[in-house]
Structure formats: C-alpha cells, structure tokens
C-alpha cells in the first residue's frame, strides 16, 4: 500500500469517527433520567434486569424481540453509565464506514 492510500484511509477513518461522534452527541448518555417512559428506557431496563440474573420472557416480559434487550445488556456490562452510549457510537461508526 502506498503512502497516498494510507493517508486516504486515515482521513476516511477520522471522518467516520467524527460523524459518529457528532451523531451520538445528540443522545444523552443516561436515557432513563433524560427521557423517562420512552422505548429506549424499557430496553435499558431489560438490560439491567438481565445483568441482575433475570431471564427474558420468563421473569421479565415485553412483546419486542430479544436483540435490543441483548444489546442493552452488553452495554450495561461495558459500563453502567455510558456502555449503551458507547455501543451506539460504535454502531454508528460501523454504519458510516460502510455507507462512505
């Protein structure tokens, strides 16, 4: 790979990270306090409940599919306060990478 291609890849990666950061700055890191009773707080609640050992659809129930609950559970495992926000940032960066 020549220097120009490396420079272009670094520029694109920087642009992708900047766009993901700008997009995610609009979302509060703690959704429960900022937007109570929205769908995202239910996903976060399920993630927190799963982290405490409760089982989806047996101990806690909602009619939505399990993917969003699992994503929030992984975010809670990363960090109680900022894990879901960091995962959103990572997903946005991947989206912008493939979109660009």
């Amino acid at each position: 790979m020549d220097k120009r291609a490396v420079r272009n890849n670094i520029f694109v990666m920087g642009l992708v990270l900047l766009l993901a950061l700008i997009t995610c700055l609009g979302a509060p890191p703690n959704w429960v306090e900022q937007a109570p009773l929205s769908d995202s707080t239910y996903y976060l609640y399920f993630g927190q409940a799963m982290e405490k050992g409760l089982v989806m659809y047996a101990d806690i129930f909602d009619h939505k599919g399990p993917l969003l609950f699992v994503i929030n559970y992984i975010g809670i495992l990363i960090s109680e306060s900022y894990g879901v926000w960091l995962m959103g940032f990572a997903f946005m960066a991947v989206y912008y990478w493939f979109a660009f």
Side-chain angles (χ1 to χ4, degrees):
M1 204 183 268
D2 64 343
K3 288 184 180 183
R4 184 175 179 155
V6 170
R7 198 173 311 133
N8 284 342
N9 286 339
I10 290 172
F11 173 75
V12 169
M13 182 55 80
L15 182 63
V16 161
L17 292 175
L18 179 66
L19 287 172
L21 180 64
I22 289 170
T23 303
C24 290
L25 284 177
N30 191 345
W31 295 355
V32 175
E33 293 174 6
Q34 300 292 329
L37 301 176
S38 66
D39 278 348
S40 60
T41 57
Y42 295 121
Y43 303 140
L44 190 59
Y45 166 74
F46 269 69
Q48 291 169 340
M50 290 167 56
E51 197 267 331
K52 293 177 182 169
L54 298 175
V55 179
M56 283 189 297
Y57 306 109
D59 300 323
I60 49 179
F61 180 78
D62 196 349
H63 63 280
K64 297 172 183 71
L67 182 60
L68 289 171
F69 304 138
V70 172
I71 289 170
N72 279 274
Y73 170 65
I74 294 169
I76 296 293
L77 290 178
I78 293 171
S79 169
E80 184 75 27
S81 301
Y82 297 101
V84 176
W85 189 89
L86 289 172
M87 288 191 59
F89 174 78
F91 287 138
M92 288 306 298
V94 170
Y95 166 77
Y96 283 129
W97 177 260
F98 284 106
F100 191 68

